[in-house]
Amino acid sequence: MLTYSYRVKDGNVANKLNQLARATNFVWNYCNETSFNAIKQRGKFLSKYDFRPLTKGASKELPINSQTIQAISDEYVTRRKQFKKIKLKWRGRKSLGWIPFNGQTIKIVNDVVIYDGIKIRFWKHRELLGNIKTGSFCQDSRGRWYVNFQCEVIDKRPHGERKIGIDLGLKDKAICSDGIKYDRENLTKKYEVRLAKYQRAHKKKQVKNLHAKIKNKRKDFSHKVSNEICSTSEIVIVGDISASKLAKTRMAKSVLDAGWSQLTTMLHYKAIRHGMVVKKVSEKWSTQTCSYCGVIPESAPKGISALGVRNWKCSECEAIHDRDINAARNIFNFGAGRCAPTGSLSLQ
Ligand SMILES: [Zn+2]
């Protein structure tokens, strides 16, 4: 399943969408209350099918069609199971607008989606592939509307032959065992001053916009890198770095900026599309171990004080290492056992 997201040209339809979103909230809250009561009074968890007769006829009273009402109650049941809660959050005025739909109930003609007779234009920056199963209109914190389509895609994409380990780092964002480094500027640092300025001046809108911009840039980078890695590799081993653990230390800002978990998540789902393998392994000892002879030598960079060490020489076998590439090679070795990684090791 793939999700495509497009910005809606909401000038003319925003009012209509807002109205639909209010009706959606109404149905959602009804499902929430009904489900909660059923659990409390009868110990019964309502299924998707239990909701059908309960919501029947509601479309006559509300400005949304019965298929959408069904999509809402279906989504409610899925989410309640997913979060394992007996009651979910109430959707009110402050909730961001959301209208789910079933793939069969909409039609797409060029850059227009026809929903319940309403023509909604959107910026079609890329082609849709596959069958639309479900989708939704949703609003971001700036009040802009987007349309999402969840598609079932059958197309397989090719992969390359690289067999690599990846060390996720702060300086270069992703370092591969074959020496290729994917880097991007530190966005938090770049916009720090401007952000602080807006915050001091209480310019709420600008603060929101800047946050959105940083988020988009980070996501863009993760997409680009994961696409490239997945299309050029056969086996990828990623170090399982606990970002949440590191985020508590003084390096927090740059750790969060690196967006590691986003990149790993993308690698995992894109791997399926490309028919290649992505594996996670513990990255413990990957920095200290010599990837050439496999021991942890005296000369290895150890502890916080050695964070600045970029190059080192193994005191056992005299191999010279780039700190991050060595770590990436170890990660590969930990995960893949005996297969040889791409990029030959050389004694310098
Ligand atoms: Zn060595």
Side-chain angles (χ1 to χ4, degrees), residues 184-323:
R184 108 168 127 57
E185 58 197 338
N186 183 324
L187 295 166
T188 314
K189 217 173 205 170
K190 185 177 176 187
Y191 294 109
E192 202 168 42
V193 178
R194 214 195 301 175
L195 198 61
K197 203 176 90 192
Y198 289 152
Q199 272 161 348
R200 273 197 306 276
H202 298 290
K203 291 185 171 168
K204 272 191 188 165
K205 201 174 168 192
Q206 276 97 328
V207 169
K208 248 183 200 172
N209 286 351
L210 200 54
H211 273 305
K213 189 175 177 175
I214 295 172
K215 202 173 142 192
N216 283 341
K217 283 203 165 190
R218 187 175 296 155
K219 206 170 167 186
D220 254 18
F221 175 80
S222 299
H223 269 304
K224 242 193 204 151
V225 172
S226 53
N227 279 343
E228 191 170 324
I229 291 175
C230 287
S231 59
T232 55
S233 317
E234 191 182 348
I235 298 173
V236 170
I237 317 281
V238 203
D240 181 12
I241 189 158
S242 163
S244 51
K245 227 186 253 168
L246 269 170
K248 285 176 193 144
T249 68
R250 69 191 165 86
M251 294 186 291
K253 264 193 183 169
S254 30
V255 171
L256 294 175
D257 182 72
W260 287 324
S261 53
Q262 187 178 58
L263 183 62
T264 359
T265 311
M266 285 184 183
L267 282 174
H268 273 285
Y269 80 73
K270 287 180 185 178
I272 302 165
R273 209 194 304 172
H274 287 269
M276 38 86 70
V277 180
V278 171
K279 226 164 96 177
K280 236 185 199 179
V281 292
S282 161
E283 50 124 48
K284 207 175 173 192
W285 310 120
S286 62
T287 312
Q288 282 105 319
T289 309
C290 166
S291 59
Y292 194 74
C293 66
V295 303
I296 298 176
E298 269 306 301
S299 59
K302 284 169 190 149
I304 301 275
S305 60
L307 273 176
V309 177
R310 305 316 313 168
N311 296 295
W312 59 281
K313 188 176 176 181
C314 172
S315 50
E316 295 291 322
C317 73
E318 305 209 309
I320 293 167
H321 294 301
D322 170 301
R323 177 205 179 88

